[in-house]
Amino acid sequence: MRASSKNIALMAALGVILPGFGASLSFAQAAAQTAPRTTPQTAPQAAPRTTPQTTPSAAPQAAAKYRAPRTPDGRPNLSGIWQAINDADYDIQAHDAKPGPLVVLGAWGGIPPSVGVVEGGPLPYRPEALAKKKENEANALALDPVVKCFLPGVPRATYMGFPFQITQSAQYVAFTYGYDFASRAVKMGMKSQAPVDSWMGWSSGSWDGDTLVVDVTGQVEDTWFDRAGDYHSDELHVTERYTPMGPNSLLYEVTINDPKVYTRPWKMSMPLYRRLEKNVQLLDYNCVPFVEELMYGHLRKVQTPEEKAKEDSALPTAPSNGPARNLDEEP
């Protein structure tokens, strides 16, 4: 997961950002920090290392300087089609590359490596909850609700790899997701509680300066955070923050609070990018037909060729000679 010195030197000339060294460091800067320094008088010394957890991100500072276009009511205009570009749906925590659950898929089903989107190290699971997480991961194909086309919940709907659209007014901010017709309406200033738990939860919004803050409660406990089995209970409370960083990017921050599963609240963050294709539009990914065989195939009536032939022979047919008649008519 660490870039080699050759790769760092090669890409330094391109001025590319190195994720593992923080958003504010280029490959050239990273190479200068990680390469051994030598002088005629002293032996080589390794430069200090930084990690994603300890290196401050430049995103909040960039967001603080940017002033987004305004809506008629003076709020930042977040409307548009957005998408996360990361591997968080595989696993929100840092992970190595590994094979997928189906050997026959080969590299098609492989899981790419990632530094993760969780801040502050591993998730603070309670011991009994960690055991369940490991069981989930070992049986993900059977247990992950998304495999069977159930709605992904919040925040997973944001980083599944599908685009989503934000439509904004003074009273509501609507989120429409490309996956399985998922959607939710954020009522600005709402104080009421969810009348019933649901897959996408109950969302109320407010503004903190230029940041849209969304409190999400009332989610069913069946949704997961990723394919790696990271999960929550029915006490999940999600706080989302959407902050404009530039004309085509948002900083997405999520705080998870679930005392049944975790010993403390924890946070993940990632950039969201505006889709800029000239003909961009949100298309439907209707996965229901894709899972009918998986979920209901065992209910299909199975017939032997002999049974099928016997059933076919009992169907009414037209006489072999003489004029054809309507089989619905009385003889």
Side-chain angles (χ1 to χ4, degrees):
M1 295 173 60
R2 185 175 299 146
S4 68
S5 57
K6 252 185 194 179
N7 288 338
I8 291 176
L10 175 62
M11 287 183 274
L14 302 178
V16 183
I17 296 300
L18 179 62
F21 289 85
S24 61
L25 297 181
S26 69
F27 265 100
Q29 292 168 316
Q33 287 194 11
T34 56
R37 299 177 181 176
T38 59
T39 65
Q41 292 81 16
T42 60
Q45 294 181 351
R49 296 177 180 175
T50 60
T51 67
Q53 288 74 31
T54 59
T55 303
S57 171
Q61 290 86 342
K65 296 177 181 177
Y66 174 71
R67 179 173 171 81
R70 313 320 262 191
T71 60
D73 63 332
R75 299 298 186 182
N77 190 351
L78 308 183
S79 297
I81 296 180
W82 306 87
Q83 188 166 354
I85 304 177
N86 57 39
D87 299 303
D89 189 49
Y90 291 103
D91 192 340
I92 58 175
Q93 301 188 78
H95 59 273
D96 291 325
K98 54 187 175 181
L102 298 178
V103 176
V104 294
L105 290 179
W108 274 15
I111 297 173
S114 172
V115 297
V117 295
V118 176
E119 299 183 4
L123 295 183
Y125 275 107
R126 295 186 178 278
E128 65 279 8
L130 181 58
K132 182 177 179 181
K133 177 265 192 291
K134 292 179 179 178
E135 180 183 351
N136 287 346
E137 186 172 17
N139 300 280
L141 272 181
L143 300 179
D144 186 352
V146 166
V147 171
K148 297 180 179 178
C149 194
F150 290 108
L151 295 180
V154 180
R156 190 177 182 182
T158 306
Y159 49 78
M160 285 187 69
F162 293 83
F164 63 93
Q165 186 166 10
I166 299 177
T167 309
Q168 186 176 340
S169 72
Q171 291 183 310
Y172 293 93
V173 179
F175 288 79
T176 308
Y177 299 92
Y179 176 82
D180 195 24
F181 307 106
S183 64
R184 60 183 171 130
V186 179
K187 177 71 166 65
M188 302 304 295
M190 179 175 62
K191 302 298 182 184
S192 59
Q193 300 296 314
V196 63
D197 288 353
S198 61
W199 287 91
M200 297 300 290
W202 188 253
S203 297
S204 62
S206 61
W207 290 99
D208 179 10
D210 277 8
T211 298
L212 172 65
V213 182
V214 183
D215 279 328
V216 188
T217 56
Q219 291 194 73
V220 296
E221 60 181 333
D222 303 271
T223 62
W224 287 6
F225 295 124
D226 53 29
R227 302 184 192 183
D230 291 306
Y231 76 105
H232 61 86
S233 75
D234 58 353
E235 291 192 10
L236 174 67
H237 179 190
V238 178
T239 303
E240 303 175 286
R241 295 177 64 87
Y242 298 82
T243 306
M245 293 194 297
N248 301 312
S249 60
L250 302 173
L251 174 63
Y252 181 58
E253 301 170 284
V254 185
T255 300
I256 302 296
N257 191 357
D258 187 344
K260 273 190 180 179
V261 177
Y262 303 100
T263 59
R264 57 172 173 81
W266 54 273
K267 180 181 175 182
M268 67 174 89
S269 62
M270 66 194 73
L272 304 175
Y273 301 98
R274 187 188 299 276
R275 294 287 294 266
L276 295 174
E277 300 92 325
K278 64 180 180 181
N279 60 342
V280 64
Q281 54 186 300
L282 198 67
L283 303 177
D284 295 328
Y285 179 78
N286 179 16
C287 56
V288 172
F290 308 155
V291 300
E292 288 178 342
E293 179 66 22
L294 170 67
M295 297 178 68
Y296 308 116
H298 65 285
L299 301 176
R300 185 191 300 108
K301 182 180 179 182
V302 179
Q303 293 178 304
T304 65
E306 292 78 13
E307 290 173 334
K308 182 70 167 61
K310 183 178 179 180
E311 184 178 280
D312 290 346
S313 67
L315 296 174
T317 59
S320 57
N321 52 18
R325 64 180 177 81
N326 189 338
L327 296 179
D328 293 331
E329 295 176 354
E330 292 293 332

